[in-house]
Amino acid sequence: MRVTYLGTGAAGGVPRYGCNCLACERALANPVFVRRPCSAYIEDGDTRVVLDAGLMNLHERFPMGSYSAIVLTHFHPDHVQGLFHLRWGVSGHVPVYCPPDSEGCADLFKHPGILEFRPQAKFEPFQIGSLTFTPLPLIHSKVTFGYLIENQQGVRFAYLTDTAGLPPETLAMLQQNALHGMAIDATAPPPSNADHAPGNHNHWNQALELIEQIKPTRAWLTHIGHRSDTWQIDTNPVLPAGVNVACDNAIIDLQ
Amino acid sequence: MRVTYLGTGAAGGVPRYGCNCLACERALANPVFVRRPCSAYIEDGDTRVVLDAGLMNLHERFPMGSYSAIVLTHFHPDHVQGLFHLRWGVSGHVPVYCPPDSEGCADLFKHPGILEFRPQAKFEPFQIGSLTFTPLPLIHSKVTFGYLIENQQGVRFAYLTDTAGLPPETLAMLQQNALHGMAIDATAPPPSNADHAPGNHNHWNQALELIEQIKPTRAWLTHIGHRSDTWQIDTNPVLPAGVNVACDNAIIDLQ
Ligand SMILES: [Mn+2]
Ligand SMILES: [Mn+2]
Ligand SMILES: [Mn+2]
Ligand SMILES: [Mn+2]
Ligand SMILES: [Zn+2]
Ligand SMILES: [Zn+2]
């Protein structure tokens, strides 16, 4: 199973519009530090899944027919905004697996175009090609699923964003399934350095505590905000073995 | 007064996602034929206004402080989707003049970020720097304004999209104010060539009839769909003197 981080940024990304903080200046000067809307691309043999649709150029990056399905964590604009344009494709259907959120985002349900939304139920696995996705409820300001993703060789990857902590049943499920990899929301720096704790996202320490409890072989912090990047530049924090901060376009082979 | 057509496409633009019609293949092969989300940029001395916000890279194209305000025709995604990212700027305020649509689009009103929405009333002029904007009701599936835009030298430009026909009071107002330029919705080809007439947009003939009734010095057809472009390639229609089909990035000086 191959995971590509398409975007690793919090809402607004890095650089934030009009910001001249250390992290945003660095990203303006060097594209390697840019963080686009949080999303990923999962490949397993012929199965190719786009996980969240916040990239503004989604329609250019993924031509029709180049992927099996789109899977959504939730309907906040930074996770679905790429669909507003892509949906107006002229033929075919794009399956979009999503949480059971009756509101969706703007007029996506009213005018789905080529999108075929398929709401899923928590903890009920669904299949896309060779991959089994199990929706895991997260704790966020809108109905949100993380996903446990498993291939036929038993390689398991969990994608857990956006969330502030984890519900007990989700945590238990992740602890019961030994994970080869896990990506988790770590939007903010530790709270001593934050103006205020973000209500709907993990901060750095929360993310590390969850990794400690779940014990995946490898873990990545993602959905990173510019304040966290600035804090990392300032403090150069040491991460536990196997844990890294995700960056855009990184390709991870899990086996 | 200088008008730049940032985008001249109907929802979905040209090329449409996954389409291989004549117009879409042409646009894929040659970027000069691409039609981005319908929007414009109006400059008059130091006054710079972004008219509609559907460009996906709006935040890159228009750095903070490079424009005076954003003016919106309506809250359909193809006219506001660039705001979902831009709003998360870190400081300052961006005035956004808009029609009085209590719904807005998705969570733009709930989480405006740096955007300062300023709903306007029909036919009540407002001032942005040296430009006077008069909101003109249009006929569309959501509360929509066209705008009569006038500078201090009396140069007048009307921007009329999205609309199917024009309300009598809007038409009367445009006939009473001699126009130097006018951009009008012409989404679809003539109906004999269309599968069905579009309910919420002009077709080619409707747009030309309105131009004939309003008699601006110059006029541009905009919000063009791929079916119209294909029809134009096929039939090479002759336009009345002073009338052109708008294209992306065209710069027009009105005086
Ligand atoms: Mn998010
Ligand atoms: Mn969210
Ligand atoms: Mn439109
Ligand atoms: Mn519209
Ligand atoms: Zn910053
Ligand atoms: Zn086409």
Side-chain angles (χ1 to χ4, degrees), chain A residues 151-162:
Chain A
N151 72 7
Q152 293 173 342
Q153 289 74 48
V155 174
R156 280 180 294 275
F157 175 68
Y159 189 81
L160 307 167
T161 179
D162 300 9

Side-chain angles (χ1 to χ4, degrees), chain A residues 107-154:
Chain A
D107 60 358
L108 282 178
F109 289 167
K110 191 175 167 197
H111 299 298
I114 59 167
L115 306 178
E116 195 179 290
F117 289 102
R118 301 182 181 175
Q120 301 297 312
K122 60 181 177 179
F123 299 119
E124 291 189 12
F126 59 91
Q127 199 74 24
I128 303 175
S130 59
L131 293 171
T132 305
F133 283 72
T134 306
L136 307 173
L138 301 183
I139 302 171
H140 195 50
S141 54
K142 209 163 168 49
V143 190
T144 303
F145 280 162
Y147 292 97
L148 173 61
I149 307 166
E150 182 167 0
N151 72 7
Q152 293 173 342
Q153 289 74 48

Side-chain angles (χ1 to χ4, degrees), chain A residues 74 76 78-79 140-141 162 201 223:
Chain A
H74 64 307
H76 274 153
D78 57 318
H79 296 258
H140 195 50
S141 54
D162 300 9
H201 295 282
H223 205 278

